[in-house]
RNA sequence: GUGGUCGUAGCUCAGUUGGUUAGAGCGCCAGAUUGUGGCUCUGGAGGUCGCCGGUUCGAGCCCGGUCUUCCACCCCA
């Protein structure tokens, strides 16, 4: 048999011990802030029924869903001719009834509807799990990545938005990542579509506007023309991009321009109220009204939030928004929710590039017991056990190899202390403890003395 | 999904217009040093040159396909 080459699927990654300790630092930080704000953790399965997932993320999203082939004889009852005729996409729906989740929000909506009788609203939940997208990998873009979601569902209050923004600010503050929080409102975008007289083109308009920073106004207008917008309508957009000043000034200019659009005014009022709350909370992060911010899945209906890292070129590190009727499709009407999602993998990339992870803590062990052979090991095991009982991270070298090897093992793992018990120690009844950083070495006679030397803390 | 790009030792990378036996540094192993690491010195192991096919007397190098990496678009965390 030929050797098979070890490999993992495109766009997925292994995480080694060092990466995991950094990743856990991020996860624990986010989790801690979520819990501080009263959110409770849930988990949902990696796979959902395809009909739960399909149609929630737009046409593009559906294409990016990983589908799971049915078990058993999945060809049973499938007509090959029909298969050929209907094409790959339609056929996949005959062969697959499950798919990997694409985000955490839709499974959450499903969860809320399914468990509505057990849930006390308003419900604050958080969820930290991987999601999968059959996208083509790129920088900061993976096929398997973790999202850290916090949502509050069953309340329309803008206090919830303010709460989530405060969470964003705290998380990035703790992680020492400088960010800009951009805020917009889908109703303002709808107002813009109203204003230029093309309310039916809101999706095309928002998608194009979203690229303003990147490709410039001319290119945006060109794209809109391609999408079939009237030239006249497109020119009406111009004054919108000319608004300037701080957030409040921008909002009042917008109010004048969109005065005839009901949803536009509503969006402006919501946003003004939200900025009011944020002022009261005194959020230290930079926050900005960005009417060019449109990204977001089709289900957002109100506030839209996006967070960019200031010191790194990478997509957004956190995004979110309000969705008024996400649960409606599962049969639970009139339940509004708002949520955010941290992209842990991107945050990791940013922090790694900026060297924001604290050095050290590379190892778990504080002490390595040298292994001189069976007799000595038997003598050491009770000592080791006592250290464990004192919650001190310690390990015994498993094989009686020559000492220099055991020393370099400790070196490479940054283990600060070694305990040496050989023939001499056993004969005379003492224990040698060596500090590998200073090279200092001393003889002690009890576990307590060992602890004293190495210090309690791990 | 469209267009481009990368792949040589465990890691980072050299490798001339196609020419004999593919190199370096780091790491690893052994020894100098039999109960003491980091430093130094000496020696050693380790390669289907991503994979498959083609051109050629001859391919790491040229051509085609494929997989992977990274990048732009689309879209997104």
């Amino acid at each position: 048999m030929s050797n098979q080459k070890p490999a993992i699927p495109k766009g997925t990654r292994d995480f080694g011990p060092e990466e995991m300790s950094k990743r856990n630092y991020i996860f624990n930080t986010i989790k801690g802030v979520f819990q501080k704000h009263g959110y409770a953790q849930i988990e949902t399965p990696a796979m959902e029924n395809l009909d739960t997932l399909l149609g929630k993320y737009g046409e593009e999203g559906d294409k990016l869903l990983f589908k799971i082939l049915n078990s058993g004889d999945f060809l049973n009852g499938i007509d090959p001719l029909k298969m050929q005729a209907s094409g790959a996409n339609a056929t996949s729906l005959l062969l697959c009834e499950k798919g990997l989740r694409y985000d955490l929000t839709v499974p959450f909506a499903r969860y809320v509807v399914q468990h509505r009788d057990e849930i006390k609203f308003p419900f604050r939940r958080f969820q930290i799990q991987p999601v999968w997208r059959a996208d083509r990998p790129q920088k900061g873009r993976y096929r398997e990545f973790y999202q850290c979601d916090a949502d509050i569902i069953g309340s329309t209050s803008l206090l919830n938005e303010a709460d989530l923004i405060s969470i964003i600010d705290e998380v990035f503050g703790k992680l020492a990542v400088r960010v800009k929080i951009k805020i917009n409102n889908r109703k303002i975008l709808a107002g813009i579509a109203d204003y230029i007289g093309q309310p039916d083109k809101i999706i095309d308009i928002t998608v194009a506007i979203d690229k303003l920073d990147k490709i410039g106004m001319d290119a945006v207008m060109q794209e809109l023309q391609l999408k079939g917008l009237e030239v006249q309508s497109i020119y009406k957009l111009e004054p919108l991009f000319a608004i300037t000043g701080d957030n409040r000034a921008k909002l009042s200019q917008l109010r004048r321009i969109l005065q005839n659009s009901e949803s536009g005014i509503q969006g402006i009022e919501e946003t003004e109220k939200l900025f009011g709350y944020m002022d009261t909370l005194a959020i230290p992060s930079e926050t900005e009204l960005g009417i060019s911010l449109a990204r977001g899945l089709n289900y957002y209906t109100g506030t839209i939030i996006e967070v960019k890292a200031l010191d790194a070129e990478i997509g957004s590190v956190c995004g979110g928004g309000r969705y008024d009727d996400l649960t409606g499709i599962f049969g639970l009407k009139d339940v509004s929710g708002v949520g955010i999602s941290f992209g842990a993998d991107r945050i990791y990339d940013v922090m790694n590039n900026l060297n924001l992870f604290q050095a050290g803590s590379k190892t778990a062990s504080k002490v390595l017991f040298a292994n001189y052979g069976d007799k000595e090991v038997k003598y050491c095991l009770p000592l080791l056990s006592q250290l464990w009982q004192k919650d001190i991270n310690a390990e015994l070298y498993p094989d009686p190899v020559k000492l220099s090897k055991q020393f370099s093992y400790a070196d490479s793992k940054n283990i600060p202390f070694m305990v040496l018990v050989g023939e001499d120690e056993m004969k005379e009844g003492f224990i040698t403890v060596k500090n590998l950083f200073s090279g200092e070495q001393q003889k002690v006679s009890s576990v307590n003395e060992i602890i004293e030397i190495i210090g309690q803390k791990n």
Side-chain angles (χ1 to χ4, degrees):
Chain A
M1 217 177 26
S2 71
N3 272 346
Q4 114 181 24
K5 197 173 255 180
I8 54 176
K10 185 204 289 233
T12 65
R13 296 149 303 153
D14 288 324
F15 301 110
E18 207 171 328
E19 280 166 304
M20 275 317 294
S21 93
K22 293 174 176 178
R23 286 170 65 82
N24 280 332
Y25 173 66
I26 294 173
F27 289 133
N28 292 338
T29 301
I30 292 172
K31 185 173 179 178
V33 175
F34 284 167
Q35 284 172 328
K36 184 165 42 153
H37 285 249
Y39 292 73
Q41 185 165 22
I42 70 161
E43 289 202 357
T44 62
M47 63 184 108
E48 293 275 349
N49 293 327
L50 261 186
D51 53 15
T52 300
L53 266 17
L54 283 167
K56 310 299 189 298
Y57 309 107
E59 220 175 299
E60 278 307 310
D62 284 356
K63 278 193 232 161
L64 299 180
L65 283 173
F66 277 108
K67 302 183 182 76
I68 298 172
L69 198 58
N70 289 341
S71 312
D73 183 8
F74 51 82
L75 286 178
N76 192 22
I78 308 266
D79 177 356
L81 287 174
K82 211 168 152 189
M83 211 161 90
Q84 191 114 47
S86 49
N89 215 33
T91 303
S92 72
L93 300 182
L94 299 173
L95 305 178
C96 307
E97 54 189 24
K98 301 175 292 296
L100 294 175
R101 66 168 163 248
Y102 177 92
D103 73 357
L104 300 178
T105 307
V106 166
F108 174 52
R110 191 225 81 222
Y111 174 94
V112 167
V113 178
Q114 203 173 325
H115 299 270
R116 66 182 105 173
D117 296 337
E118 308 152 31
I119 293 172
K120 181 78 184 160
F121 292 99
F123 178 42
R124 293 160 186 265
R125 77 86 228 233
F126 76 91
Q127 187 169 355
I128 298 176
Q129 289 190 274
V131 303
W132 294 269
R133 297 184 186 178
D135 214 349
R136 197 173 278 202
Q138 235 179 88
K139 186 164 210 79
R141 181 177 260 194
Y142 306 101
R143 292 185 131 183
E144 176 184 63
F145 60 96
Y146 272 73
Q147 290 193 328
C148 311
D149 274 37
D151 289 76
I152 174 155
I153 194 160
S155 158
T156 55
S157 168
L158 288 160
L159 283 169
N160 300 318
E161 271 90 336
D163 186 36
L164 292 170
I165 288 167
S166 169
I167 285 176
I168 292 171
D169 174 68
E170 278 178 57
V171 165
F172 288 111
K174 279 178 194 286
L175 296 177
V177 174
R178 298 198 314 130
V179 295
K180 180 198 275 183
I181 304 172
K182 289 170 128 182
I183 292 165
N184 195 7
N185 194 300
R186 194 80 171 198
K187 290 169 190 163
I188 293 179
L189 293 167
I192 292 173
D194 283 347
Y195 163 71
I196 66 168
Q198 306 259 312
D200 51 317
K201 297 280 194 197
I202 179 166
I203 301 272
D204 289 333
I205 295 170
T206 54
V207 167
I209 288 182
D210 192 24
K211 296 176 195 159
L212 184 65
D213 289 346
K214 206 165 165 186
I215 64 179
M217 184 140 68
D218 291 344
V220 167
M221 296 201 160
Q222 215 163 34
E223 180 167 331
L224 286 171
Q225 218 167 336
L226 273 172
K227 295 283 181 186
L229 265 82
E230 307 283 333
V231 179
Q232 273 175 306
S233 308
I234 297 173
Y235 279 113
K236 288 188 83 175
L237 283 172
E238 253 177 318
L240 284 161
F241 300 139
I243 63 172
T244 52
D246 63 11
N247 294 329
R248 287 199 183 280
K250 283 185 185 167
L251 280 168
S252 64
Q253 291 165 68
L254 264 183
R255 187 186 274 275
R256 263 200 311 282
I257 298 172
L258 302 182
Q259 56 185 313
N260 293 320
S261 163
E262 197 185 323
S263 64
I265 294 299
Q266 212 181 331
I268 288 162
E269 275 168 6
E270 286 180 8
T271 308
E272 277 171 346
K273 191 164 184 183
L274 174 55
F275 277 116
Y277 285 138
M278 283 156 56
D279 286 347
T280 313
L281 282 168
I283 306 279
S285 291
E286 186 183 343
T287 54
E288 177 187 279
L289 170 72
I291 60 161
S292 72
L293 166 60
R295 78 182 37 235
L297 305 155
N298 298 350
Y299 47 69
Y300 289 141
T301 52
T303 308
I304 306 170
I305 301 163
E306 180 179 81
V307 184
K308 289 254 187 199
L310 288 175
D311 305 310
E313 276 299 320
I314 199 161
S316 61
V317 289
C318 177
R322 177 169 289 275
Y323 38 90
D324 278 333
D325 199 28
L326 191 62
T327 56
I329 198 155
F330 299 117
L332 184 61
K333 297 279 181 207
D334 299 322
V335 179
S336 186
V338 57
I340 52 171
S341 178
F342 290 89
D345 303 81
R346 285 189 177 173
I347 295 172
Y348 176 94
D349 290 344
V350 170
M351 292 182 68
N352 221 22
N353 287 344
L354 299 177
N355 263 321
L356 293 178
F357 290 109
Q358 319 246 323
S361 75
K362 191 176 167 187
T363 176
S365 282
K366 190 97 197 236
V367 189
L368 175 69
F369 282 74
N371 185 329
Y372 286 88
D374 277 348
K375 277 199 309 266
E376 292 87 348
V377 162
K378 274 185 196 132
Y379 187 91
C380 284
L381 282 176
L383 303 174
L384 181 59
S385 168
Q386 285 178 70
L387 286 183
W388 286 337
Q389 278 166 35
K390 299 278 187 191
D391 281 329
I392 290 168
N393 298 356
E395 61 184 292
L396 166 70
Y397 198 91
D399 305 298
V401 298
K402 62 182 209 171
L403 264 193
S404 68
K405 189 158 175 143
Q406 302 192 39
F407 267 93
S408 56
Y409 171 83
D411 277 336
S412 68
K413 281 189 71 180
N414 271 330
I415 296 173
F417 294 95
M418 265 183 81
V419 168
L420 303 153
V421 178
E423 223 176 300
D424 299 348
E425 281 86 350
M426 283 181 67
K427 208 185 312 170
E428 291 170 39
F430 65 92
I431 303 159
T432 298
V433 180
K434 175 158 183 166
N435 179 327
L436 294 189
F437 295 153
S438 64
E440 212 178 322
Q441 160 168 337
Q442 49 191 300
K443 297 175 178 180
V444 302
S445 52
S446 72
V447 169
N448 283 337
E449 284 177 86
I450 299 177
I451 294 171
E452 228 168 88
I453 293 170
I454 67 179
Q456 280 280 1
K457 256 190 9 215
N458 274 316

